[in-house]
Amino acid sequence: MSLTLQRADLLRTTFPVGGDWREAVSGVRYEIEDPALAQAFASVPDGDARDAQAALDAADAAFPAWRAVPARDRSRILARWNALLLEHREDLGRLISREQGKPLAEAIGEIAYAASYVEWFAAEAVRAYGDVIPPPVRGRQMLAVKEPVGVIAAITPWNFPAAMIARKIAPALAAGCTVVAKPAEDTPLTSLALAALAEEAGVPAGVLNLVTASRANAASVVDVWLADARVRKLTFTGSTPVGRHLARASADTLKKLSLELGGNAPFIVFEDADLDAAVDGLMAAKFRNAGQTCVCPNRVYVHAAVHDDFVARLAARVSVLKVAPATDADAQIGPLINLRAVEKVERHVQDALARGARLVTGGQRLPALGPNFYQPTVLTGVDGSMELSCEETFGPMVPVFRFEDEHAVLAEANGTPYGLASYFYTRDVRRIARVAAALESGLVGINEGAVAAEAAPFGGVKASGYGREGARQGIEEYMHLKYLCQGGLD
């Protein structure tokens, strides 16, 4: 199976600033590696502070005209962008598979997921209603209207290179904001292709500007946007330490922030759960993108009464997962993004085994496939002393904890600084109400492993950040309220 594009012009190797696809000011480029081969197959400009400044200048200049475009016209442009994403989803999927590694079917599915946000916010653009406030005295009219905040800066991760940038850019454009964005250094090609299709859909020059940059230059790009008061909002998906830095650095200019940060999701299986359904849910939640998602279950708690049965069913499913590069049509698990990711999974497994955990299946690298492949793994006998219990693994490894008491397992589930996602399986309706209320997370899957949807608010609590993406709340993150009070009307 080939990952060659049918439409070759979607492989963009320059970035758009002010409608001009350009090289970095420095003229320097950096290479993009295929994680399945750990070999470079393309290069992009290595932007720096000068490119970030040019992008911001372009976005600032384009803002007055874009905010004045009627909401219905912005909606139509987004609808055309959505149609183009779906029309070219196979090519876009091939780009994702090549630079990120996930199986092609999964990559094409990501494009459909990304497009769902564009479609959603195309509709929300014309529904950003304000309020008419009953006046306290005669002869006065009081209104609350919503307006775009201005230029927004978006910083996106490598694990979902289409979905994450679409989930940020679509509501920004729908609200009437202009954008400067830095895609992840490992996976910029998908974002550049999406920007090309946005341009084709009619997004005007300067409204959407991207700067690609290597890991070495990333901070110099973002620092320009952090320091400049013209950037009125910053939206970021990534690690909690970086999120804290961005929040601190944004304080001087009091930017509006959306931060979707790290997770440490619990997955609880109670004694009355439908075990087949629970295994299905865990497989869907954990092994998507080889376990490299922020909402992946990181700690699986199974009641002692069903622990052994559940583990046996889970191991039977995990042991037959097909690990292969995206060029294999039957691949279910691809490579991890790089060697650092492999080493982290390996470190967690070895630490757990050294502290008394038992290996049920997996637990090895797969060097015959390439340096970044790791076997899907199940461990039992794990406890809170192990690294995997307090640090997000971000890989295809399932640690299973045994529990006996509901209150105790909820304390363990909540005993983390993070609060992005959590899951539980039970058939007791009273328990559903209790546990859903008790879990400290922004998303809760109840007898369901796939919780994300464009119509639902996505985001966390505690050290997993703040702000919400998707849903009707998503566009409000890119708008502010203006109160209008008119007197003398009687």
Side-chain angles (χ1 to χ4, degrees), residues 35-38 365-374:
L37 302 172
R365 297 192 193 192
L366 296 169
L369 293 175
N372 298 330
F373 289 88
Y374 195 89

Side-chain angles (χ1 to χ4, degrees), residues 15 17 22-28 45-55 211-212:
F15 54 64
V17 171
R22 61 178 69 177
E23 295 286 346
V25 172
S26 67
V28 175
D46 195 359
D48 60 22
R50 294 166 293 178
D51 301 291
Q53 188 68 56
V211 177
T212 57

Side-chain angles (χ1 to χ4, degrees), residues 286-376:
K286 179 63 192 181
F287 290 104
R288 184 167 56 114
N289 199 22
Q292 299 173 114
T293 84
C294 53
V295 295
C296 271
N298 203 58
R299 297 166 295 148
V300 178
Y301 297 96
V302 182
H303 193 278
V306 295
H307 175 278
D308 293 349
D309 190 2
F310 180 86
V311 169
R313 298 183 195 211
L314 175 64
R317 294 280 298 278
V318 172
S319 63
V320 296
L321 286 172
K322 177 68 177 292
V323 183
T327 48
D328 186 328
D330 296 324
Q332 295 172 289
I333 301 286
L336 300 187
I337 187 65
N338 53 39
L339 189 58
R340 293 189 307 277
V342 176
E343 290 170 345
K344 183 177 184 182
V345 177
E346 190 171 58
R347 187 179 75 247
H348 280 190
V349 170
Q350 294 305 316
D351 172 75
L353 294 175
R355 295 173 185 267
R358 182 175 72 88
L359 180 65
V360 179
T361 187
Q364 299 292 327
R365 297 192 193 192
L366 296 169
L369 293 175
N372 298 330
F373 289 88
Y374 195 89
Q375 285 180 322

Side-chain angles (χ1 to χ4, degrees), residues 389-452:
S389 71
C390 54
E391 183 178 296
E392 197 173 16
T393 300
F394 233 62
M397 187 268 288
V398 179
V400 182
F401 299 70
R402 185 188 297 262
F403 79 93
E404 296 187 3
D405 178 75
E406 179 181 313
H407 295 290
V409 76
L410 286 173
E412 288 194 50
N414 291 331
T416 170
Y418 302 102
L420 183 55
S422 55
Y423 309 81
F424 68 94
Y425 276 72
T426 180
R427 287 184 278 204
D428 183 334
V429 294
R430 292 171 297 180
R431 176 177 278 151
I432 286 173
R434 286 195 309 271
V435 174
L439 287 169
E440 298 171 354
S441 63
L443 298 83
V444 180
I446 305 167
N447 296 324
E448 177 57 63
V451 296

Side-chain angles (χ1 to χ4, degrees), residues 128-134 141-146 476 481-484:
Y129 304 129
D131 294 299
V132 177
I133 304 166
Q141 183 183 66
M142 301 166 64
L143 306 174
V145 299
K146 294 177 182 178
E476 294 175 3
L481 276 176
K482 178 184 283 186
Y483 164 48
L484 308 178

